[in-house]
Amino acid sequence: MLRSPSPSQASPSRPPAPPGRTRIRRRTAALAALTVAASLTVPAAAGAAPVPRPAPAPPAKQAVATGFGGAVSTVDPEASRTALEVLKRGGNAMDAAVASAATLGVTEPYVSAIGGGGFITYYNARTRRVYALDGREFAPRRMRQDSFVDPATGRPLPFDQAVTSGLSVGVPGTLAQWDLALRRFGSRDLGALLRPAIKVADRGFVVDQEFHDQTAVNEARFRDIVPTRELFLPGGKVPEVGSVFRNPDLADTYRELARRGTDWFYEGGLGKEIVRTVARPPVDPGATRDVRPGLMERGDLAAYRAVPRRPTHVPYRGTDVYGMPPSSSGGSTVGEALNILGNFRLDPRDPVTALHYYLEASKLAYADRGRYVGDADKVDVPLEELLSSGFARERACQIRPDQAAAAPVAPGSPDGRYEPCVPPGTQTRALAFEGPQTTHLVVADKWGDVVSYTLSIEQFGGSGITVPGRGFLLNNELTDFSFQPPAPGQAPDPNLPGPHKRPRSSMAPTLVLEDGRPRLAVGTPGGSTIITTVLQILVNRIDLGMDLPAALAAPRATQRNTPQVFAEQAFIDRYGRDLAARGHRLELFPGPPRGVIGAATGLEFLRPGLVQAVAEPTRRGGGSALVVRPAR
């Protein structure tokens, strides 16, 4: 149980919900956008691009902020400042999260954009309930189980060819998710919330080392795709640190979205441009790169819906942990691992033993993830049994306190018939590749609402394909599918491609409640390491007694049912010898970036009304935590 500080004054009462939240179509009307003009600063009249002003010096980053009236933590100071301004002007947590995400589409375009998707978990203080909103991309109607198999060879496509292709592009979910989130829980219209991002895109932002490095990693493939080269390699070069990067195309796209609404994306002219780009990727005629066409059609965009889901829930040490259900494996795998760990006493005076159990529980949960978790709308996922205490006890009995199990271990049998101890099986599945590039943000408002939001376009730079003249990259999320059906006699694979199927994700936006009220919100990028990073932060905070800044900054290790435990160097230096004595084989995490796992953000309610926002102090250049009214 998390020890609760003494209570303070009650939170302020919430104003009545705004009218117009009962719309059922995805639309942000121009009139509605104009009526809220007074709520946020407008950079220019609709449709008129202002003359760019010099970009200001980048805001200072701080990893920890504690105070009242609302809080935000993101990887980027511009995005955090956007959210803070929304909160200061009376917007709620969902408004601030959407506005911040739109700004990340400008300043973090290689990991977050309207060409991608994501997952939101949300605590509503009025109803005292947790909600989950699924904005994961889905595959085109023409996608089949063997779509990533080269017909010329009968073998899966090389991963680099699959990534940089129209074939990897899933139907984007971000805008539909924003629309759903704002209609259900927001108090501002999308048009108003896009204005801060438009301002940043027009005036530009100062390039930091992280943006420079992410561009450099992608330079070769960006050069081969004409609109991507023109946008992200201005003057034919990787932007230098300290230079100003502007994206007037994205500013204009955001303006049109504010005016036309999201139907322009899913049913109108912008959707037509996206489909044309996917079907005929705009590759330089002189390039030798094989950029395959995609399968997306206009009907796929029109068919897309963001979906409300029932969040996963497990009790843990006197708290209630909520996460994202399938097609994300985040909630199920974090939840199963916590259930397994609940069978053991983790003593902060013996961190090596606690970390041994953490690694072993992760190993078992990942085995079950690979065997059973996929898009629950398309395959049967035994979610209730995966998160049952009986299954956790059966899996926990496989863990020896003094010896790591040889990995990969086999999945268990979540069949409802649980024995005190069941011998391990013999079949397992190799860990599928997921790129570590994503972003996460957390927001709380003065009423006690909390958003934990992970969004992505998959790889750094997604598919590498920019929609011409629109300023955003398209995702490569469909490479999260398994590329090839299992051989005859092997267990079924729940994550094979299929029409309008969502690929399995590891995104794990997580909320922790205590006595029915929010206590923690946490999440991270990192591909399949997302789950272990969130899990380790929770173990650090709840079991090992660290405060949230220490829990988030502590060195990390990830065990995803692989023979090796991949870890950061500081973790190896501190715990490597003792864990090796128990049979763990530690190696430096290969990245990218090498030796760095995740870039988490989190917040904790220290007492009613008093919130601590926490960002990374150093990973990926550090993040930005802000509060509305800092505590003295």
Side-chain angles (χ1 to χ4, degrees):
M1 177 180 291
L2 289 163
R3 183 172 298 173
S4 300
S6 59
S8 66
Q9 60 191 28
S11 300
S13 60
R14 178 197 297 270
R21 296 294 119 195
T22 58
R23 296 172 297 169
I24 61 173
R25 288 182 59 80
R26 296 182 304 245
R27 186 171 297 279
T28 307
L31 178 59
L34 292 173
T35 62
V36 295
S39 66
L40 289 172
T41 301
V42 183
V51 176
R53 292 174 293 177
K61 292 182 178 182
Q62 59 180 4
V64 181
T66 305
F68 302 89
V72 57
S73 179
T74 81
V75 299
D76 177 72
E78 294 278 12
S80 292
R81 188 163 60 181
T82 291
L84 194 73
E85 287 303 311
V86 173
L87 295 174
K88 285 181 175 179
R89 294 173 182 269
N92 64 26
M94 193 63 80
D95 302 327
V98 169
S100 179
T103 301
L104 285 170
V106 180
T107 59
E108 297 280 320
Y110 305 143
V111 296
S112 59
I114 57 174
F119 297 100
I120 294 172
T121 52
Y122 169 70
Y123 175 82
N124 182 273
R126 179 186 285 119
T127 63
R128 298 187 67 175
R129 288 180 55 195
V130 176
Y131 301 83
L133 304 179
D134 184 343
R136 179 67 158 167
E137 304 88 338
F138 69 28
R141 179 183 57 84
R142 292 192 290 151
M143 179 68 71
R144 296 293 180 263
Q145 287 192 357
D146 61 355
S147 290
F148 284 102
V149 175
D150 188 339
T153 64
R155 298 176 61 83
L157 294 175
F159 189 76
D160 62 338
Q161 292 185 25
V163 167
T164 310
S165 73
L167 191 62
S168 72
V169 180
V171 177
T174 291
L175 282 169
Q177 186 181 39
W178 290 353
D179 183 75
L180 173 65
L182 293 175
R183 282 189 287 111
R184 293 197 62 178
F185 303 114
S187 67
R188 299 286 190 271
D189 283 286
L190 180 60
L193 299 174
L194 289 173
R195 290 190 182 104
I198 292 170
K199 184 177 180 180
V200 176
D202 275 327
R203 76 165 189 239
F205 61 91
V206 178
V207 171
D208 61 9
Q209 190 67 50
E210 188 69 17
F211 185 86
H212 172 276
D213 292 349
Q214 290 180 15
T215 310
V217 166
N218 280 291
E219 181 179 3
R221 67 184 186 132
F222 280 8
R223 287 193 184 281
D224 288 345
I225 300 172
V226 176
T228 307
R229 179 180 68 218
E230 292 173 347
L231 177 59
F232 294 112
L233 299 174
K237 299 179 181 179
V238 174
E240 295 181 358
V241 174
S243 65
V244 175
F245 185 88
R246 296 185 175 91
N247 193 339
D249 287 347
L250 183 58
D252 289 343
T253 300
Y254 278 175
R255 286 189 186 91
E256 286 298 300
L257 283 167
R259 188 171 71 87
R260 298 170 181 258
T262 57
D263 280 350
W264 179 54
F265 187 98
Y266 289 99
E267 299 176 13
L270 181 54
K272 184 177 180 181
E273 293 175 36
I274 291 169
V275 169
R276 182 169 59 243
T277 303
V278 171
R280 295 190 297 274
V283 182
D284 189 311
T288 59
R289 187 182 303 273
D290 184 5
V291 182
R292 288 173 168 81
L295 302 173
M296 192 185 301
E297 298 172 334
R298 293 190 67 182
D300 296 315
L301 282 163
Y304 185 85
R305 297 291 184 274
V307 184
R309 305 281 188 193
R310 181 182 179 182
T312 62
H313 167 237
V314 297
Y316 187 69
R317 317 279 196 206
T319 69
D320 293 282
V321 181
Y322 292 87
M324 198 71 212
S327 60
S328 175
S329 62
S332 65
T333 312
V334 169
E336 182 186 343
L338 289 173
N339 280 341
I340 293 170
L341 288 171
N343 290 275
F344 304 98
R345 181 173 179 269
L346 306 186
D347 190 338
R349 296 169 298 180
D350 185 6
V352 173
T353 296
L355 290 168
H356 167 72
Y357 283 123
Y358 151 70
L359 295 171
E360 293 298 279
S362 299
K363 188 184 298 179
L364 294 164
Y366 267 83
D368 299 325
R369 166 189 179 271
R371 171 63 183 85
Y372 298 111
V373 181
D375 182 355
D377 292 339
K378 302 294 184 179
V379 296
D380 182 18
V381 179
L383 183 61
E384 184 175 350
E385 294 302 328
L386 286 170
L387 293 176
S388 70
S389 59
F391 184 59
R393 285 193 300 271
E394 192 172 86
R395 296 300 270 157
C397 77
Q398 305 296 323
I399 298 178
R400 295 173 55 184
D402 58 350
Q403 184 62 44
V409 300
S413 298
D415 54 11
R417 299 186 298 274
Y418 304 121
E419 303 294 335
C421 192
V422 173
T426 57
Q427 284 195 341
T428 189
R429 180 169 289 116
L431 178 70
F433 181 82
E434 291 179 67
Q437 301 85 4
T438 296
T439 193
H440 183 82
L441 62 92
V442 289
V443 184
D445 61 31
K446 63 184 178 182
W447 299 287
D449 304 317
V450 185
V451 174
S452 186
Y453 180 16
T454 313
L455 59 159
S456 181
I457 61 172
E458 180 56 8
Q459 299 293 114
F460 283 138
S463 65
I465 301 172
T466 299
V467 181
R470 294 302 177 188
F472 65 91
L473 287 153
L474 294 170
N475 69 84
N476 68 288
E477 296 287 2
L478 300 188
T479 58
D480 279 352
F481 281 124
S482 303
F483 277 20
Q484 190 170 32
Q490 289 187 338
D493 187 338
N495 192 40
L496 290 171
H500 289 181
K501 187 177 181 181
R502 289 169 164 84
R504 181 174 60 215
S505 169
S506 295
M507 287 185 262
T510 301
L511 296 174
V512 180
L513 274 59
E514 189 172 27
D515 298 325
R517 296 186 180 278
R519 190 60 187 273
L520 298 171
V522 68
T524 183
S528 60
T529 70
I530 288 173
I531 292 163
T532 54
T533 295
V534 168
L535 180 61
Q536 189 176 357
I537 291 171
L538 295 179
V539 168
N540 288 344
R541 177 67 189 93
I542 297 171
D543 292 296
L544 299 185
M546 301 180 193
D547 62 17
L548 187 59
L552 196 141
R556 293 178 187 146
T558 179
Q559 170 49 269
R560 294 161 289 161
N561 199 26
T562 59
Q564 313 92 330
V565 174
F566 290 107
E568 296 177 334
Q569 188 61 52
F571 186 96
I572 295 171
D573 294 342
R574 188 176 304 177
Y575 305 112
R577 179 178 298 178
D578 291 332
L579 288 171
R582 301 191 191 204
H584 297 281
R585 198 175 103 202
L586 275 70
E587 295 183 13
L588 187 66
F589 181 68
R594 183 172 174 79
V596 177
I597 300 176
T601 57
L603 60 81
E604 178 171 359
F605 286 82
L606 301 178
R607 63 178 188 265
L610 179 63
V611 186
Q612 185 174 70
V614 184
E616 295 282 3
T618 57
R619 291 182 182 95
R620 298 195 190 180
S624 174
L626 297 172
V627 293
V628 173
R629 297 194 309 277
R632 294 181 180 178

